[in-house]
Amino acid sequence: MLTTLIDLLGEDRLSWLGGLLVGGLFGFFAQRSRFCLRAAAVEFSRGEGGPRLAVWLLTFAAALVGTQALVAIGWLDVSEARQLAQQGSISGALVGGVMFGCGMILARGCASRLLVLSANGNLRALLSGLVFAVTAQASYRGLLSPVREWVADLWLVDGGPSRDIMAVFGGGTPEKLAFGGLWLIVGLAFAFRSQLPRRLILAALATGVAVVAGWFFTYQLAQASFAPVTLKSLTFSGPSAELLMLVLNSAQLRLGFDLGIIPGVFLGSFAAAASANELKLEGFSDGLGMRRYLLGALLMGFGAMLAGGCAVGAGVTGASVFALTAWLVLGGMWLGAGLTDLLFDRGGMRQPQQASSATPGV
């Protein structure tokens, strides 16, 4: 079937449509489930273990179990994914993860959450997302790239088995499936404990399935295509920067999977909010709040490019293939988020309008 579609649409257009559909799936169910790493990290750091943590755990577990199940039955081979095959940076993962975690607390949402909320009419999220994309591009190829490269080169790790965290400990696909199953059990336990409605449980699981769908689609496309196709799934730092630069600098857009993700998530989130009558224009309440959001977006943009991915790109997509650096990034995000929440929102710098820790977004 893919071969027929390639002949009909061409590889680039089909890849773009795949990214659009996978992004739409993620955007719709991320909006419905209120998926947000920032909100989950806040609940965890405060010892609450509420619904936002349950949603994140279910999404994370669904991505792990689904991806490894496809590997186990032979429908997916992730050995050529850049998170495993290419050289990585331990120092970049650690420093970038902490920076991203700090930034998402200040901006009150990670990159994916900002995009989801932008589609619902949140102007704070829209501005923060634009600053995130500009900073990501500056960190990748612009003014900040020398700093990023210097930090990344401090501690490198070769591609191959040394980047597979389970292989480092002597495990394989069965162990990865079992480990993912444990995360799923924990997520369900937290969901039942916090009396999470069934519709939110299903939406959280579907959000994780979107990551699995991305891996499956790009792998099957690579198998059917005569041209090289990069194996990948959902991420937001690189595609955000790429889309911004293409819109600003290019009269012709070269279609591809990454280029479909951002508009797909936006449209999916918009459809979910519109169907639930949740579209609402929101802006900044004061200058101090605006400075906080922009600083957070700057930290996330640089941190994501240094770490090799955002809260979804590294924290879920990279973790689903058990990339060593992705798990280090994820740990850094939780650490940075917990410390920043302690200093800014639970400490003396807390602002009255940001008093609610359970708020899952910007």
Side-chain angles (χ1 to χ4, degrees):
M1 180 177 178
L2 276 180
T3 304
T4 303
L5 290 175
I6 289 173
D7 293 337
L8 180 64
L9 301 172
E11 291 157 350
D12 290 346
R13 189 170 297 163
L14 179 59
S15 181
W16 177 80
L17 285 173
L20 190 72
L21 291 173
V22 171
L25 177 68
F26 178 90
F28 186 91
F29 287 109
Q31 198 280 341
R32 294 264 42 88
S33 67
R34 305 298 193 265
F35 170 76
C36 179
L37 176 58
R38 172 253 167 199
V42 168
E43 284 190 350
F44 179 78
S45 67
R46 299 185 183 189
E48 297 173 358
R52 301 280 72 80
L53 179 59
V55 166
W56 186 89
L57 287 170
L58 289 171
T59 298
F60 182 72
L64 261 64
V65 172
T67 300
Q68 294 306 316
L70 290 182
V71 173
I73 61 179
W75 289 3
L76 176 65
D77 180 2
V78 296
S79 61
E80 295 302 316
R82 73 166 174 84
Q83 294 92 335
L84 295 174
Q86 298 178 9
Q87 186 182 60
S89 171
I90 301 294
S91 54
L94 294 172
V95 177
V98 171
M99 289 183 67
F100 191 97
C102 295
M104 71 180 182
I105 294 296
L106 295 176
R108 297 182 67 79
C110 67
S112 62
R113 186 62 180 163
L114 294 179
L115 180 58
V116 167
L117 290 172
S118 296
N120 299 174
N122 193 311
L123 301 180
R124 301 188 299 270
L126 178 61
L127 179 59
S128 300
L130 289 173
V131 173
F132 167 82
V134 171
T135 307
Q137 181 63 26
S139 304
Y140 181 47
R141 292 179 178 171
L143 185 64
L144 299 176
S145 61
V147 181
R148 175 188 59 80
E149 291 171 358
W150 179 79
V151 177
D153 289 343
L154 292 175
W155 189 358
L156 299 173
V157 58
D158 292 333
S162 58
R163 285 201 70 181
D164 186 331
I165 191 170
M166 191 63 76
V168 171
F169 293 100
T173 301
E175 288 77 15
K176 292 174 182 178
L177 264 175
F179 192 63
L182 288 176
W183 281 93
L184 182 58
I185 292 171
V186 172
L188 289 171
F190 273 98
F192 292 136
R193 175 188 172 187
S194 58
Q195 298 182 335
L196 198 67
R198 182 179 299 178
R199 61 182 176 79
L200 292 184
I201 293 176
L202 295 176
L205 292 172
T207 306
V209 169
V211 173
V212 183
W215 285 123
F216 180 74
F217 171 77
T218 56
Y219 177 73
Q220 295 301 321
L221 185 61
Q223 297 300 107
S225 175
F226 290 104
V229 175
T230 303
L231 178 63
K232 60 179 66 175
S233 188
L234 287 170
T235 187
F236 292 89
S237 50
S240 296
E242 179 185 3
L243 181 61
L244 178 65
M245 290 302 102
L246 285 173
V247 170
L248 293 176
N249 293 331
S250 177
Q252 293 183 339
L253 301 181
R254 187 174 184 274
L255 298 178
F257 184 82
D258 283 351
L259 205 58
I261 291 175
I262 304 301
V265 172
F266 190 93
L267 291 173
S269 177
F270 179 85
S275 64
N277 197 26
E278 293 178 354
L279 294 174
K280 180 183 178 182
L281 282 177
E282 298 179 72
F284 291 101
S285 60
D286 56 48
L288 180 60
M290 182 175 183
R291 291 195 293 272
R292 168 181 169 139
Y293 285 101
L294 296 184
L295 175 59
L298 286 168
L299 288 172
M300 283 199 297
F302 184 81
M305 281 304 180
L306 178 59
C310 60
V312 172
V316 180
T317 297
S320 70
V321 296
F322 284 80
L324 169 64
T325 48
W327 284 81
L328 293 176
V329 170
L330 187 57
M333 288 177 181
W334 285 82
L335 176 62
L339 291 175
T340 307
D341 176 62
L342 176 64
L343 292 174
F344 281 81
D345 290 341
R346 282 188 283 168
M349 296 184 231
R350 179 179 177 181
Q351 300 178 50
Q353 68 270 24
Q354 295 159 341
S356 175
S357 66
T359 303
V362 179

